[in-house]
Amino acid sequence: MEPGRAGCLLLLLLLPALGAAAPGEFDPYRVLGVGRSSSQADIKKAYKRLAREWHPDKNKDPGAEDKFIQISKAYEILSNEEKRANFDRYGDAGESQGFSHQQYRQFHRFHDGFYFDESFFHFPFNSERRDTSDEKYLLHFSHYINEIVPDSFKKPYLIKITSDWCFSCIHIEPVWKEVAQELETLGAGIGVVHAGYERRLAHHLGAHSTPTLLGLINGKITFFHNAVIRENLWQFVENLLPGNLVEKITDKNYIRFLSDWRKDNKPHVLLFDHMPVVPLLYKLTAFAYRDYLSFGYVYVGLRGTEELSSQYNINVYTPTMMIFKEHINRPADVVQAREMKKQLIDDFLSQNKFLMVARLTSQRLFQELCPVKKSHRQRKYCVVLFTGEGEKFAEAYEAFLTFAVANTKDTLRFVHIYSDRQPEFADAFLMDHGRSAVVILERRNNAGKIAYKALEEAWQGSKEDNFILLDLLDQLRTDPGLLSSETVVADLNDELAPMFLIRWFYSTLDYMSDCWDSLFHSNWREMMPLLSLLFSALFILFGTVIVQAFSDSSDTRDAPPSGKEETTAKTEKNDASFSKESNSRIPKKGFVEVTELTDINYTSNLVRLRPGHMNVVLILSNSTKTPLLQKFALEVYTFTGSSSLHFSFLSLDKHREWLEYLLEFAQDAAPIPNQYDKHFLERDYTGYVLALNGHKKYFCLFKPHRSGDEGGTLGSCEDYNALQHAEARGKPSCSPGSRSIKNKLHKLSFWMERLLEGSLQRFYIPSWPTLD
């Protein structure tokens, strides 16, 4: 046998042994520095700490990149319970994705030991001898999902899917390397996915061959289908961006553009340059700051911009960037440079993201302008002008703006708000909507608690008003206790959010464009989701018609039992009695209508519940649903005659976070465990009952009766301490049978009586959380 063939045969025989030995060398527990019994919270905490320490952008150590890859891979294994269990049993995470990185290196060490000539394979497969410029762009599945996708809402990404045994990948390598470096300098994101090591991510991206190039923006993937040349790749990235990011500005429209700050509540940026088209750097910058700033571009070589250039004394030979706020006759800040760099633009814009007296139009803007106090040295005070729209309030606003410009400080932020557009916010401060008023406030927590001091007289902008406000701000520097009043405010309405029909229209256009692109460029694998959707719609449409046509009208529901048997059957039936039958039958004796609280009926059944009405909600899980509903129906049946009471149940498996958010306001009655407690995710809330008053924003809490004590005390929020002491004495609990589950609601009827009497403790919240 020839030496070359013998070496290949020996190589193939030893490859399985190398693959079996490799997994044992990588220990994710050792990489993250955690024990095998560590909880998910400990693992996540260790990962965040190590990722910050070893991120290649922050750690300049030569081995930081390899260390960061190991940390990410270890977290991907340990954060997945299935992979973690496989590793604990077999020393392998169970990812059959070809060679791992260690296996690959062992393969090359084995290959180098026999002195094979790579020309024998006519392919340079030794990746250690190839260009390693792509290594800093390598993506892993968890890194892509947790960081790249959220970051795509700030900048577009150009991603390449490659593999080792790919001749076309080598062919496009020079063009890719050049374009990747240029686009990264401008602010675009670059990513590389190795299909051999990250098969799961490649499949998730829809790449079924290599090389594949795709773009990612706003979480949406777009495939590249043209020839891989520099011009096509630049145009591809530019086409990913929305078309209305930058407006062309001339002498005819610059006043209208700069005056729109009142409508969109943003500073406006103008770039003067001699390029006939908007530079890609400027478009990428506009996309990154689109939530804070509006962008315009002036081509100084175009006829019709002479007045604009003369108005602001522009040097036509040097790129100039100006930012305008409330005053359009003069810029608030200017920067000039022969070559605009990304870092220079970022520094300039990050210091001018807000107007001098911005209007509070959303909760996000309120949180950024008026952050929560973190320490005494990081106090941030907001001076808020409550005013209205129209000429009636113009003079008071202009005076407040003049005062803000003259007294700008790092610890102060001046804002204004339209009282009629944010009535709940204004009512929390007892503001009169018909006049202007000034309030100095400080946010104390994220739940809406605020400390404030209001000027006694209405704000007119007179010299006396200015002296009074200036005196209060001087006192506040030495005496934070000046803010003696406290209140709780609800979240602000998003005034500038587009209407539902507009959002739906744009979503439909995006979906249609995706379908059109798929028809011409996608393969059958990529077309499967669309075809599946079409066939599902047809099946539902025609299937419903066929079932109705061939259904036997004689197959009606069985006649309900009568007398005592009917009452027993109704109260002891499973949860089906609380759904479909309640919609089709007239409620009879023993029947309790209990509906599931979901995101569809959440607003009507709770948030917009009529005054005086309450929704009594039972907390259950899939495993305890039937016995708890049976017991719940028996306990609350005698109270169904009240038209002001509604009965619902909430799935703990779906909405645990919603429940724990409410329980944070009832810590003395039902404290939730700390997130670092090993039993954090095991806390059993089944059997809890909440009486929710949607209009007044409070709830009463029934804590389940402790199992195993038939004669126990009332399971209400006031009895929590007594139950805790009893459990601490070591009384045994019942077996997890249906009877012990039903005992959780023992004496719920007594609690309901106290609820109707109004003698239960009430827990107030600032606003109802969303039910996602």
Side-chain angles (χ1 to χ4, degrees), residues 690-704:
L690 285 78
L692 309 174
N693 190 313
H695 180 70
K696 293 188 176 180
K697 296 184 180 64
Y698 73 82
F699 66 94
C700 298
L701 177 66
F702 172 88
K703 189 177 182 299

Side-chain angles (χ1 to χ4, degrees), residues 617-620 659 663 669-671 683-690 701-704 720 744-745:
V617 181
L618 169 66
I619 308 300
L620 48 75
L659 176 62
L663 294 183
R683 184 65 180 266
D684 183 19
Y685 296 108
T686 57
Y688 278 54
V689 179
L690 285 78
L701 177 66
F702 172 88
K703 189 177 182 299
Y720 176 80
K744 289 187 173 184
L745 299 180

Side-chain angles (χ1 to χ4, degrees), residues 158-173:
L158 182 63
I159 300 176
K160 177 182 72 171
I161 290 87
T162 184
S163 61
D164 283 337
W165 301 88
C166 173
F167 291 94
S168 299
C169 300
I170 298 177
H171 179 72
I172 69 172
E173 192 72 24

Side-chain angles (χ1 to χ4, degrees), residues 231-346:
E231 291 75 14
N232 288 346
L233 289 175
W234 273 64
Q235 189 63 42
F236 174 69
V237 173
E238 190 167 356
N239 290 340
L240 293 175
L241 299 168
N244 58 348
L245 284 174
V246 182
E247 184 177 352
K248 295 289 186 67
I249 303 301
T250 62
D251 293 341
K252 297 181 179 180
N253 63 351
Y254 82 94
I255 295 180
R256 189 266 310 162
F257 173 75
L258 297 179
S259 300
D260 281 346
W261 67 267
R262 293 184 182 274
K263 182 173 64 176
D264 53 27
N265 196 38
K266 298 177 182 178
H268 285 61
V269 185
L270 284 181
L271 176 64
F272 297 82
D273 204 348
H274 56 275
M275 300 284 291
V277 296
V278 182
L280 181 58
L281 170 62
Y282 196 54
K283 288 185 176 182
L284 292 171
T285 303
F287 181 76
Y289 290 90
R290 67 189 185 281
D291 292 336
Y292 301 96
L293 304 163
S294 295
F295 292 82
Y297 181 75
V298 182
Y299 173 34
V300 294
L302 179 68
R303 179 178 298 177
T305 60
E306 297 86 355
E307 177 185 344
L308 183 58
S309 301
S310 175
Q311 171 75 17
Y312 301 113
N313 194 22
I314 300 300
N315 183 357
V316 297
Y317 301 103
T318 303
T320 304
M321 183 175 290
M322 291 183 173
I323 190 162
F324 295 82
K325 296 185 178 180
E326 284 88 349
H327 300 104
I328 66 173
N329 57 341
R330 63 180 185 275
D333 204 351
V334 181
V335 62
Q336 283 186 339
R338 291 189 176 275
E339 185 177 1
M340 286 286 183
K341 296 289 186 179
K342 180 180 182 299
Q343 188 62 45
L344 175 65
I345 296 178
D346 287 342

Side-chain angles (χ1 to χ4, degrees), residues 152 176 514 564 673 737 742:
S152 68
W176 166 261
D514 292 343
K564 293 184 178 180
K742 290 183 179 180

Side-chain angles (χ1 to χ4, degrees), residues 32 84 96 106 124 137 155 174 189 303 373 390 405 434 447 505 603 606 628 683 714 739 749 753:
L32 294 182
R84 182 178 180 181
S96 301
Q106 289 187 5
Y137 304 126
K155 62 182 178 181
R303 179 178 298 177
K373 178 193 70 173
V405 173
F505 177 74
T603 301
L606 175 59
L628 282 179
R683 184 65 180 266
L714 178 64
R739 184 172 181 180
S749 58
E753 292 179 358

Side-chain angles (χ1 to χ4, degrees), residues 46-57:
Y47 165 72
K48 288 184 176 181
R49 176 176 55 81
L50 293 173
R52 286 194 297 265
E53 179 182 354
W54 290 98
H55 196 284
D57 293 342

